[in-house]
Amino acid sequence: MDSGTSESVLGRVPLAVVVVGSDGLVTHWSSGARKLFGPGREEAVGSPAADLMPVYGALGDAGGCTAADGAEYGPADGLGAELDTIPLAPGYARAGRARSTGRPPGRLDVIWWAYPLAGPGPERLLVLAADAGALPVEESRRIAPAFAPHTDFPDATLLAGRLPDILPNMGPAACGRIAAQVLELGYPVLEISRHERIPVTHDWGTPRHAGRRSRVPAAAAPATEVRAAGEPDLEHAAVRERLEFLNEVSKDIGTSLDLERTIREVTSAAVPRFTDFAGTHLRAAVLAGEGFPDGPPDVTTVWHRVWVEHNDEPGRWDDTVPVGEAIAFPEHTPFFRCMVTGEPVLIPRITEELGNRISERFEKRDLRPLINGRSMLVVPLKARHVVLGFMVLMRREGREPFDDMDRTTGAELAARAGLVLDNARMYTYQENVADTLQDSMLPQLTPRTAGCDTATRYLPGTRLGRVGGDWFDSIKLPGSRTALVVGDVMGHGLHSAAMMGQLRTAVQTMAALDLPPERLLRNLDDLAQRLGEHYLATCLYAVYDPIRSELRIANAGHIPPVLVRAADGRSELLQLPTGAPIGVGGVPFEAAAVPVAPGDRLVLCTDGLVEVRGQDIGAGLAALCESAAHPAASMDDACDTIIRALNNGDGRKDDVALLMARLNGIPAEHVAQWQLAPEPREAARARRLARERLAAWGLADAAPTTEVLVGELVGNAVRHARTRSVGLRLVRTDVLLCEVTDDDHTLPTLSGGGLDEESGRGLRVVSAMAREWGASHTACGKTVWCEEALVRHPSRAAGR
């Protein structure tokens, strides 16, 4: 047991350690006992303790006694005179001083401590004794037993497991430390301190202050003498011990900003030193990380029991007060009074009537066997004058009930715990906000578009926060094309994430206008300069045309993509013109055309994946090429392979965005296109050509709808075209795409369609019948397109 700081310790004296069974026979006799009392272990074990040591006789009579061999013991004086008149409950530790004149090795002046052993074993008493003659006289009233090196105690493991019951004023951490010393190094010794007192009671080691009714036997010294001689010092020691407890708790809790771990630390800190049972309840909003609770609690407030700690037998409380239970506490209960008033509620003893009232609030569970007769203290967990939760503390019968000093100590414990919990709550709330922000900004991509499958991964930086400026996107374009985007805003945190959201939205808007890649980056650079000088980002924009089997890619200061060829599995880092980052301004952007084949895979990522501290980025890019070429059963497996291969074991400082696209292409036989004359009669021809092609594709059931859509689009184009011809193209993928192009740059709009209007009805028909439709500019005019969902018959599909 700790005895205070190193400066307070004046010396150490070996202790005799004796364990006595319920039959009064010695079950353990240490080498220290042999040195102090004479007999060796072989002689002592199994012999009556009263025949071996004068201390055992002194335990039976605080005022002096005579042992079996006639040795005389004087009345307990000095230290013993003070301790033997302390009111002790049955089963509590005792201490005293005894003298022997007739036993070898001569006259003994012994200071002793006796601790009842709890548990199922036959041992019932642990006795520690020391030679008082080896102690400085002026320090004889300021000593406490402690453990330090070298023991021969064979049952040390059992003893260590029962330390909280033997010396209950120790916390779990101290028990573990002592057990390790006893098992590996130590024998018990006595540490002499100017600041420690002998532990006498289960909880605080000092008797109660004046005013409490004494339970000292009639033969003990008068209570008035005890109060006059010792109570000022004892009360001071009680206060000091509580302050030390709070100081130790403050060190143990709040070691993490994880809310669940903090809750466990706060609950466990009170057991067993301050209480035998501790249960922590938190408001649902606090536990969910939804921000600071709004308003005071009431009968509708839901509380979650988040952790329970006790020193009863394992599992005793599990079914009755399960962790995770959600409860709304009714009025007229101590719990409700605590959470509404925000003040501690002290119940010295739970009476049968109160136990019935509390238990009846819990259906199908009887709490009375667990709580009746116990002392209870309910303390609020507050922050900024708002109750976040409360702790229920209970001491079992036989232990000193909670008093006003305990109420103050519990309130201070709860105040410190409330502050720590609020810090953890705020951190959890901020994490939730960051996650929500990041999730809302990252796109939910469709894994399959026409001729292209995609898979993605996003990993937030583990050191610099959960939000950042990395992003990826997959945007559907007219003509069955797909735009693939990856970008990285310079910097980290919420500011970078906000910038990323603006730039990503701008890219989507300009992509819908079907701008060429180099033109889109040019416009994005102009926008970033207008937004502010701190808007700097890298970006790579690629457009995949599955019909032409071509990629057009423009780069703005980003790391190049990797292309994995399906034919031979080779991977290559594409050599592209590299422009300046977005936001620099005044730098031209160029696009490169890259021919691809069906099955090729394009891998785009941000630099957080390939940058390694202390290495050139070329090594990371080489590792990316190697891992991207690794065979995989699916796109998701391929992404996971890359992440595993390049994930830095020391932890990432930067975010990681990874976008992989498998470029499947669209077979030529699934594309049909015609050139039509700019004449009204061509609308009928277009309907016929569409009907014949659908029949050849085995899609005759779709012909009626397709004929109407084709006729309306071609009719509009013929009406507005000024020169040359009108183009019609049908593309068969998972849907049927119909595109009509002409040389007029004016995009059509969907009108209100009043009864008196003579035009505009065609687009309303298209809008009603098509799954999607739209229009975009081209270099020579415009394209109006629509998509029609296909319903295939299994028998026909099997026959093709």
Side-chain angles (χ1 to χ4, degrees), residues 478-479 481 514 672-679 682 686 710 712-730 737-748 774-786:
R481 293 170 301 148
D514 203 10
Q673 49 190 354
W674 303 271
Q675 292 296 320
L676 307 174
E679 299 177 2
E682 289 289 83
V710 167
E712 294 295 340
L713 294 182
V714 171
N716 284 343
V718 167
R719 187 177 303 112
H720 297 289
R722 294 175 296 182
T723 59
R724 295 191 299 274
S725 63
V726 173
L728 170 63
R729 182 165 73 170
L730 297 180
L737 171 67
C738 173
E739 293 181 324
V740 175
T741 60
D742 59 53
D743 58 359
D744 181 28
H745 289 272
T746 304
L747 297 179
S776 60
H777 287 287
T778 65
C780 301
K782 69 175 182 292
T783 297
V784 182
W785 58 271
C786 66

